[in-house]
């Protein structure tokens, strides 16, 4: 007795080492349709997601400058004006999900040479610090300017960690990023308030409490949500600082 494949009943048998032509045509059409369907599904799904932004590490633009470290209340790096370039104030972070309170306190208000990698998104620049060294070649006689008060504001927006929002992680905002932001802020990375409306042309702000001190666990329930909160805004060179009165915070959605 023997078996013979017929045109009306194609059937694949492995040991015959051949795929019937009707099955081969069917599998080819199925494979093309499946790949195309998955591509369309991926396109439809991605089109519903928020734009993660253009931020990221500027690996090809290493940062190295002399200046002064201050706690405002998070570590910032003050750089004097140079020719037509005005003085700048940079927010700082450490490697991974850590801040730089240790080096900032050890070298507070003494000239240092700071090296690191900028993380940049629009006009928000944070320096991931690699090395801080005391230097005698620092800015001689540099006296950083005092903060300029810009009044009390009611702002709507979101509390993010400054490093991820600047592009270390994407998306660096929204509920998808809530757990990561919680870890980053716990590790000492400065929180930023990303506002939907500008103050003096800027839409992100280094956050402090209403008295200008460090924020604590009270912001965790407000992270990654669209909120409204009042507070005083001040300008520190090119950096805006928002002293948020969290007692006025209201979740909008």
């Amino acid at each position: 007795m023997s078996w013979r494949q017929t045109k009306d009943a194609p059937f694949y048998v492995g040991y015959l080492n051949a795929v019937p032509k009707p099955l081969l045509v069917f599998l080819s059409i199925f494979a093309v349709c499946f790949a195309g369907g998955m591509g369309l599904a991926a396109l439809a799904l991605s089109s519903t997601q928020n734009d993660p932004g253009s931020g990221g590490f500027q690996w090809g633009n290493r940062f190295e400058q002399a200046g002064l470290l201050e706690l405002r209340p998070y570590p910032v790096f003050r750089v004097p004006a140079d020719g037509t370039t005005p003085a700048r104030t940079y927010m700082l972070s450490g490697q991974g999900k850590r801040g730089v309170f240790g080096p900032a306190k050890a070298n507070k208000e003494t000239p240092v040479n700071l090296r690191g990698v900028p993380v940049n998104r629009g006009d928000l620049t944070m320096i991931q610090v690699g090395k801080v060294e005391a230097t005698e070649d620092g800015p001689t006689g540099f006296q950083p300017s005092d903060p300029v008060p810009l009044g009390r504001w009611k702002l709507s927006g979101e509390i993010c960690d400054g490093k991820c929002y600047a592009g270390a992680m994407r998306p660096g905002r929204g509920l998808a990023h809530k757990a990561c932001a919680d870890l980053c802020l716990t590790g000492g990375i400065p929180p930023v308030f990303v506002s939907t409306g500008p103050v003096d042309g800027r839409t992100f702000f280094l956050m402090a409490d209403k008295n200008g001190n460090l924020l604590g666990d009270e912001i965790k329930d407000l992270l990654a949500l669209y909120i409204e909160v009042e507070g005083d805004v001040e300008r520190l060179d090119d950096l805006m600082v928002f002293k948020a009165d969290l007692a006025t915070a209201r979740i909008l959605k």
Side-chain angles (χ1 to χ4, degrees), residues 55-64 93-96 115-120 126-130 163 167-170:
F57 283 96
Q58 309 299 306
W59 296 109
N61 186 27
R62 297 278 178 157
F63 180 92
E64 182 171 358
S93 76
Q95 305 287 328
R115 279 179 280 178
V117 179
V119 192
N120 175 261
M126 176 172 282
I127 307 299
Q128 177 177 278
V129 177
K163 186 176 182 180
M169 296 284 285
R170 294 191 292 173

Side-chain angles (χ1 to χ4, degrees), residues 48-153:
T48 64
Q49 303 302 305
N50 295 327
D51 185 353
S54 57
F57 283 96
Q58 309 299 306
W59 296 109
N61 186 27
R62 297 278 178 157
F63 180 92
E64 182 171 358
Q65 288 198 46
L68 296 176
L69 287 165
E70 291 183 348
L71 295 171
R72 294 269 183 182
Y74 295 87
V76 295
F77 189 54
R78 310 289 301 272
V79 176
D82 183 12
T84 59
T85 303
R88 294 203 63 178
T89 299
Y90 294 95
M91 289 188 291
L92 303 176
S93 76
Q95 305 287 328
K97 301 179 182 301
R98 294 180 296 172
V100 287
F101 282 94
K105 290 177 180 175
N107 297 278
K108 183 180 178 182
E109 298 178 0
T110 61
V112 295
N113 191 54
L114 186 145
R115 279 179 280 178
V117 179
V119 192
N120 175 261
R121 179 174 181 171
D123 52 7
L124 167 60
T125 300
M126 176 172 282
I127 307 299
Q128 177 177 278
V129 177
K131 194 168 187 178
V132 176
E133 293 178 312
T135 178
E136 297 180 354
D137 299 325
T140 305
F142 173 46
Q143 293 294 328
S145 62
D146 292 329
V148 178
L150 299 178
R152 189 171 180 85
W153 292 77

Side-chain angles (χ1 to χ4, degrees), residues 155-179:
L155 301 178
S156 299
E158 180 180 328
I159 300 172
C160 304
D161 72 89
K163 186 176 182 180
C164 289
Y165 179 75
M169 296 284 285
R170 294 191 292 173
R173 63 187 306 176
L175 288 176
H177 194 72
K178 184 177 177 65

